[in-house]
Amino acid sequence: MKYTPISNELFTRNRRRLADLLKPKSIVVLNANDIMPTNADGTMGFRQNNDLFYLSGVDQEETILVLFPDHPDEKFREVLFLRETSELIEIWEGHKLTKDEAEQTSGISKKSIFWTHEYERVFIQMVFEAEHIYLNTNEHTRNSSEVETRDARTIRQFKDRYPLHRYERLAPLMHYLRAIKQPEEIDLLKEAVRITEDGFRRLLKVVKPGVWEYEIEAELLHEFVCQRSRGFAYEPIIASGANACVLHYLQNNKQCRDGEVILLDVAAEYANYNADLTRSIPVNGRFTERQKAVYQAVLHVMKEAKKLLVPGNLWDDYHKEVGKIMESQLIGLGLLDKEKVANQDPDNPLYRKYFMHGTSHFLGLDVHDVGNKYRKFEAGMVFTCEPGIYIREEGLGIRLENNILITETGNIDLMESIPVEIEEIEDLMNR
Ligand code: GLY
Ligand code: MN
Ligand code: MN
């Protein structure tokens, strides 16, 4: 990992917060993610399981975390299993965590840290004291992967091996906890945002007619990695001209032309936490009048939507309200007809033709972070705010996206200092 160490107080507190939600006599098992294969002997880069990271800070493959808060023997209340190193591993892969380092990282006592080959022996001393076994699954509502995860394999093996325990879903508890960011997490998100801002300010100096979308991508990656980021928080969207109307445009292989607007949905990760920024800027440094009008409409929707990201509001009401604000902007731009809007099917509003995605999502260890849409907004939640207008017939797409932390009294825009006003963008591009 490139990031600097995180205080283990965060992970210790997270384990305590989870323990408070468990039924008595419960054991919880969390696995590291698999390393995904590519071709031949190739693999994708390792990405830790976010729940395991959240509860331990351990960012190493083949880790297992077992929690049993009311086990009679203190040694078995928080147990970590680590991949033991060897001379071969040291030569080919380099350093792996020692028990001392894992204790320092996680706040779990060294007495309770074992090697993974000891797992069977240790686990059997724990599991029969438990009534309930909490196992993890991916319960993200947009999860559509066909790959069998380590968690899925664990569920099968456990049910075969321990058929008479009562099984519980860990995911809802993790979603509940992770929705409210701890102060240390907010600092990490702010760092991801700060690095993102540096990248954005850097690209403003590079964008001009003739630049290629991938050249902008390379500038950003250079900035991010130089600042201890692993790189992009998600596949970057660098979409000039009509490409901006392709919502998941990832090719980034076109030359940017004079007169076009370029939509940049680009952000850094830091210590597994993700920023999520979108800006739309003129390739030649000056917006046309039409581009300005559309841009101001999107900016207006973002500013109004932000006012609704406050404690007590509900997800569906918020999205409905933002839809109405967008509707009136689209009428103002001459894209929607006022009378047709008045008679539209409320389940299929006309604004969807130009604004076809949601306005917000939870943000954190996952870009589309876990959280429950039926839970009222609360202090500590972090959301994106990302309205957009995509006019395919004009080859113009504009989206703006900031990251908003809900507080007791309202919210804080974590991207406040990232240029968004037309004059500021034009000024910076023409210096
Ligand atoms: N960058 C992904 C999103 O905005 O949701
Ligand atoms: Mn985005
Ligand atoms: Mn987003």
Side-chain angles (χ1 to χ4, degrees):
M1 294 83 61
K2 301 183 181 77
Y3 55 87
T4 52
I6 301 167
S7 163
N8 64 34
E9 279 173 38
L10 169 64
F11 309 115
T12 301
R13 190 183 326 120
N14 288 345
R15 290 193 296 278
R16 214 169 36 232
R17 289 167 65 227
L18 174 61
D20 288 343
L21 301 179
L22 300 174
K23 295 180 177 170
K25 294 197 127 202
S26 288
I27 194 166
V28 183
V29 182
L30 291 114
N31 292 299
N33 280 339
D34 284 323
I35 295 180
M36 302 306 289
T38 53
N39 294 289
D41 63 348
T43 56
M44 292 187 174
F46 174 65
R47 178 65 167 83
Q48 186 54 287
N49 177 276
N50 282 333
D51 294 321
L52 181 111
F53 181 79
Y54 185 82
L55 295 170
S56 71
V58 175
D59 209 342
Q60 185 169 287
E61 70 285 356
E62 292 177 33
T63 305
I64 305 170
L65 175 67
V66 183
L67 304 173
F68 192 159
D70 52 3
H71 194 286
D73 185 341
E74 196 185 339
K75 186 171 84 195
F76 293 127
R77 292 182 191 160
E78 299 183 333
V79 182
L80 193 60
F81 297 91
L82 295 177
R83 184 179 181 209
E84 187 176 21
T85 195
S86 65
E87 201 183 340
L88 197 71
I89 292 173
E90 292 284 347
I91 289 169
W92 284 87
E93 297 179 37
H95 184 69
K96 298 292 161 189
L97 285 178
T98 64
K99 290 186 182 181
D100 282 312
E101 287 165 343
E103 178 180 82
Q104 180 59 36
T105 301
S106 64
I108 294 172
S109 161
K110 207 166 57 173
K111 290 194 302 263
S112 301
I113 301 180
F114 300 90
W115 304 121
T116 41
H117 61 75
E118 299 173 286
Y119 175 73
E120 295 290 326
R121 176 181 68 76
V122 176
F123 191 72
I124 207 90
Q125 298 176 65
M126 303 173 71
V127 68
F128 297 120
E129 290 301 321
E131 296 279 342
H132 304 271
I133 302 179
Y134 284 76
L135 296 177
N136 216 357
T137 47
N138 184 345
E139 296 193 12
H140 195 286
T141 48
R142 283 155 76 169
N143 164 41
S144 64
S145 171
E146 290 182 12
V147 177
E148 187 181 55
T149 60
R150 196 177 284 243
D151 285 333
R153 295 199 301 278
T154 299
I155 292 170
R156 260 198 292 110
Q157 288 158 3
F158 264 65
K159 289 198 162 173
D160 192 36
R161 189 108 193 244
Y162 312 112
L164 298 181
H165 280 74
R166 264 167 280 170
Y167 285 91
E168 309 286 344
R169 291 154 56 210
L170 180 62
L173 307 188
M174 295 309 301
H175 292 199
Y176 182 78
L177 294 176
R178 280 176 51 191
I180 307 295
K181 269 61 184 178
Q182 299 294 297
E184 296 90 340
E185 294 185 279
I186 291 165
D187 287 343
L188 295 167
L189 278 167
K190 282 182 177 168
E191 182 62 1
V193 167
R194 191 193 62 70
I195 297 168
T196 300
E197 172 162 3
D198 283 358
F200 178 65
R201 288 183 182 273
R202 176 171 170 156
L203 75 81
L204 286 176
K205 298 184 196 127
V206 171
V207 172
K208 56 180 178 308
V211 73
W212 292 78
E213 292 166 350
Y214 54 75
E215 291 181 290
I216 300 168
E217 180 174 334
E219 288 288 333
L220 285 164
L221 188 61
H222 189 259
E223 187 66 37
F224 293 171
V225 176
C226 280
Q227 300 213 39
R228 292 178 172 266
S229 159
R230 190 172 51 230
F232 288 101
Y234 47 87
E235 285 290 304
I237 297 170
I238 302 177
S240 57
N243 296 337
C245 297
V246 180
L247 295 180
H248 288 165
Y249 176 80
L250 302 175
Q251 289 83 349
N252 302 348
N253 61 3
K254 198 178 142 276
Q255 200 169 19
C256 305
R257 289 193 306 248
D258 201 2
E260 288 176 336
V261 167
I262 176 163
L263 184 155
L264 303 137
D265 190 341
V266 290
E269 76 82 51
Y270 180 77
N272 294 325
Y273 284 82
N274 302 292
D276 190 1
L277 172 80
T278 307
R279 288 292 182 269
S280 302
I281 63 173
V283 169
N284 65 14
R286 298 270 175 219
F287 289 100
T288 65
E289 288 310 309
R290 176 62 172 169
Q291 290 164 353
K292 272 188 191 171
V294 178
Y295 191 101
Q296 289 297 10
V298 177
L299 185 56
H300 175 81
V301 177
M302 185 164 86
K303 286 177 178 173
E304 292 302 308
K306 268 164 57 173
K307 293 181 191 163
L308 302 170
L309 287 170
V310 294
N313 279 353
L314 271 169
W315 182 268
D316 281 342
D317 300 343
Y318 161 75
H319 275 90
K320 230 174 264 167
E321 209 47 50
V322 175
K324 281 193 218 147
I325 301 164
M326 179 58 89
E327 213 161 68
S328 74
Q329 291 300 309
L330 292 171
I331 293 169
L333 289 169
L335 291 167
L336 292 186
D337 179 81
K338 202 170 178 179
E339 259 174 51
K340 284 189 183 148
V341 167
N343 297 314
Q344 71 190 353
D345 170 5
D347 291 333
N348 196 11
L350 294 171
Y351 76 79
R352 285 269 162 225
K353 178 176 176 200
Y354 297 103
F355 176 40
M356 52 296 269
H357 57 77
T359 311
S360 293
H361 54 80
F362 286 93
L363 182 71
L365 280 170
D366 283 292
V367 177
H368 295 168
D369 209 16
V370 295
N372 188 310
K373 68 176 261 198
Y374 300 107
R375 183 175 177 182
K376 285 183 177 166
F377 297 166
E378 277 176 52
M381 290 182 176
V382 176
F383 290 103
T384 63
C385 182
E386 51 180 305
I389 295 178
Y390 312 91
I391 316 171
R392 277 193 287 172
E393 52 275 28
E394 296 179 29
L396 175 63
I398 291 180
R399 175 164 72 251
L400 299 170
E401 176 173 24
N402 278 11
N403 304 158
I404 314 297
L405 165 66
I406 302 206
T407 61
E408 299 289 349
T409 52
N411 66 52
I412 294 171
D413 186 340
L414 301 176
M415 294 184 156
E416 188 82 81
S417 63
I418 304 184
V420 72
E421 296 291 338
I422 286 181
E423 303 71 40
E424 200 182 358
I425 301 264
E426 289 190 342
D427 181 48
L428 287 166
M429 292 185 79
N430 287 288
R431 268 189 198 168

